[in-house]
């Protein structure tokens, strides 16, 4: 009887193994369909994801303001401390946004419009300056004529046709949908901030019912670690981007670079993406400066911006971020590449903290297995 059970056990093992192999094969075979399906779900849930993201960023200021209101002498304010704190944070955010729209956005819009209108003139001046460079200059070795010829062969008719008009219409519809999704995200973020205690209690109760106590404690530990990594990364990257944007804008103003605020904003925005972002932002800034201010100004700009980036990388960013993200540059580049390939700019931005959390899981798993092996060896 025991022998018969062993035979059935072996057959069951091989059957489960075969089903697992087929499942893995079908998953890899239809990997593109699976990723498209996941993207479709994410598109539907995106307003809720963005809303949770907004509430996540605003959680700390909300909590601090709520603590102040909860100590108020007035009973009504103490009783409604959470709701009033959420209202206060969004009011401050609205004031800052209004100031940005009133002072920063017009400057950026004017710079973009002026750059677009004068781009042909900047191009012609650059070509004229290049032609005046001495024949023995190293810059003469760059075949600029071929580049100019390829640019001049571009026909506007190739870009303006029925198909592109339809694309513009889809883009306009996408903007309208995006505005609606943004308002949905704001509403979601408000409710998440107000009901955050109930949401967390529900998740804890559900986890406690589903999992054993040991598993529940492990989940709680990794939830706290993940939360710490994400909040530290997101808040520090945003703050670092603002500081870098302001510093580079001031430096470019001193150098007399045209569109200094626009280019500083571009570098600050691109700085949100680790490693790649800074390179792309600086590259675009140098190219624009070559057209608007000449090669000499572009070289000075490159020197100053690279020095500022080094100060940021070695002093400012470590002070802000701290030692929370102990992750190698190779893994960062891999994470940003994979995140950008599958989920665009949003994926590039969130790839680093996600891979950091995965790294923590893997390292803890390796440590657990090594400890288990040592214990078993000592028992023998």
């Amino acid at each position: 009887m025991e022998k018969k059970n062993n035979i059935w056990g072996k057959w069951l093992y091989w059957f489960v193994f075969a089903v697992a192999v087929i499942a893995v094969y079908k998953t890899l075979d239809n990997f593109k369909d699976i990723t498209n399906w996941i993207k479709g779900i994410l598109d539907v849930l995106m307003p809720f994801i963005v809303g949770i993201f907004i509430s996540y960023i605003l959680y700390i200021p909300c909590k601090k303001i709520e603590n102040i209101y909860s100590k108020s002498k007035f009973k009504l304010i103490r009783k409604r401390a959470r709701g009033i704190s959420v209202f206060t944070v969004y009011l401050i955010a609205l004031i800052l946004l209004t100031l940005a729209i009133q002072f920063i956005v017009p400057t950026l819009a004017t710079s973009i419009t002026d750059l677009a209108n004068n781009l042909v003139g900047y191009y012609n001046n650059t070509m004229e300056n290049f032609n005046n460079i001495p024949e023995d200059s190293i810059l003469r070795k760059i075949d600029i004529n071929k580049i100019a010829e390829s640019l001049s062969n571009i026909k506007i008719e190739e870009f303006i046709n029925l198909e592109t008009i339809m694309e513009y219409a889809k883009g306009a519809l996408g903007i309208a949908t995006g505005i609606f999704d943004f308002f949905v995200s704001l509403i979601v973020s408000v409710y998440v901030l107000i009901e955050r205690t109930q949401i967390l209690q529900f998740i804890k109760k559900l986890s406690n019912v589903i999992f054993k106590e040991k598993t529940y404690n492990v989940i709680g530990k990794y939830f706290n670690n993940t939360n710490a990594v994400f909040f530290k990364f997101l808040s520090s990257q945003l703050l670092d981007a603002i500081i870098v944007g302001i510093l580079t804008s001031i430096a470019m103003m001193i150098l007399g670079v045209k569109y200094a605020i626009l280019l500083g904003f571009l570098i600050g925005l691109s700085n949100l993406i680790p490693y790649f972002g800074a390179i792309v932002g600086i590259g675009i800034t140098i190219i624009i400066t070559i057209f608007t201010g000449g090669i000499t100004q572009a070289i000075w700009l490159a020197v100053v911006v690279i020095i500022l980036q080094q100060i940021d990388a070695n002093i400012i960013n470590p002070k802000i971020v701290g030692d929370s993200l102990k992750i190698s540059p190779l893994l960062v580049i891999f994470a940003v590449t994979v995140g950008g390939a599958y989920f665009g700019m949003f994926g590039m931005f969130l790839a680093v903290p996600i891979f950091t959390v995965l790294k923590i899981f893997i390292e803890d798993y390796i440590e657990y297995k090594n400890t288990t092996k040592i214990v078993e060896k000592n028992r023998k």
Side-chain angles (χ1 to χ4, degrees), residues 264-324:
F265 176 81
L266 173 65
I267 290 176
L269 190 65
S270 62
N271 215 59
L272 289 171
I273 301 169
Y275 288 93
F276 285 149
I279 295 169
V280 172
I282 292 171
I284 294 172
T285 301
I286 291 170
I287 291 169
I288 292 173
T289 308
I290 289 172
F291 282 100
T292 58
I295 295 174
T296 304
Q297 190 179 59
I299 292 170
W300 278 109
L301 172 68
V303 171
V304 171
V305 172
I306 289 170
I307 290 171
L308 286 175
Q309 284 291 336
Q310 290 301 310
I311 293 171
D312 173 58
N314 295 294
I315 299 173
I316 299 172
N317 195 276
K319 285 287 183 184
I320 296 172
V321 178
D323 298 324
S324 60

Side-chain angles (χ1 to χ4, degrees), residues 198-342:
Q198 295 92 318
I199 293 170
L200 286 174
Q201 284 177 349
F202 172 77
I203 293 171
K204 286 179 180 179
K205 286 179 182 178
L206 182 64
S207 301
N208 198 20
V209 169
I210 294 173
F211 303 106
K212 295 180 180 179
E213 186 178 354
K214 186 178 179 181
T215 308
Y216 172 77
N217 292 333
V218 171
I219 290 171
K221 171 192 168 185
Y222 282 111
F223 176 82
N224 292 331
N225 288 341
T226 302
N227 180 59
V229 168
F230 266 78
F231 190 82
K232 188 74 175 178
F233 175 80
L234 297 177
S235 58
S236 60
Q237 285 297 106
L238 287 171
L239 181 58
D240 184 60
I242 292 169
I243 293 171
V244 169
I246 292 171
L247 288 176
T248 50
S249 294
I250 293 170
M252 284 188 278
M253 284 179 181
I254 294 169
L255 289 173
V257 175
K258 201 165 186 179
Y259 314 121
I261 295 176
L262 173 64
L263 297 178
F265 176 81
L266 173 65
I267 290 176
L269 190 65
S270 62
N271 215 59
L272 289 171
I273 301 169
Y275 288 93
F276 285 149
I279 295 169
V280 172
I282 292 171
I284 294 172
T285 301
I286 291 170
I287 291 169
I288 292 173
T289 308
I290 289 172
F291 282 100
T292 58
I295 295 174
T296 304
Q297 190 179 59
I299 292 170
W300 278 109
L301 172 68
V303 171
V304 171
V305 172
I306 289 170
I307 290 171
L308 286 175
Q309 284 291 336
Q310 290 301 310
I311 293 171
D312 173 58
N314 295 294
I315 299 173
I316 299 172
N317 195 276
K319 285 287 183 184
I320 296 172
V321 178
D323 298 324
S324 60
L325 302 179
K326 295 178 181 178
I327 182 169
S328 72
L330 183 62
L331 189 56
V332 170
I333 294 169
F334 177 76
V336 171
T337 304
V338 173
Y342 287 101

Side-chain angles (χ1 to χ4, degrees), residues 33-68:
D33 295 333
I34 292 169
T35 53
N36 288 335
W37 179 73
I38 293 171
K39 281 184 180 179
I41 292 176
L42 288 175
D43 287 340
V44 173
L45 297 176
M46 191 52 67
F48 296 92
I49 295 170
V50 173
I52 293 168
F53 177 76
I54 293 170
S55 62
Y56 191 76
I57 293 295
L58 298 178
Y59 166 70
I60 293 296
C62 260
K63 188 178 178 181
K64 289 184 177 180
I65 294 172
E66 183 182 348
N67 290 336
I68 294 170

Side-chain angles (χ1 to χ4, degrees), residues 127-143:
M127 290 299 300
E128 186 179 343
N129 291 331
F130 181 83
N131 291 328
N132 293 329
I133 294 173
E135 291 293 334
D136 57 345
S137 173
I138 191 171
L139 294 172
R140 275 291 189 180
K141 295 180 181 179
I142 302 172
D143 199 350

Side-chain angles (χ1 to χ4, degrees), residues 14 74 83 113 241 323 357:
W14 286 110
F74 301 100
T113 305
D323 298 324
V357 172

Side-chain angles (χ1 to χ4, degrees), residues 333-351 355:
I333 294 169
F334 177 76
V336 171
T337 304
V338 173
Y342 287 101
F343 302 106
M345 292 293 292
F346 199 67
M348 292 177 78
F349 179 59
L350 292 179
F355 272 76

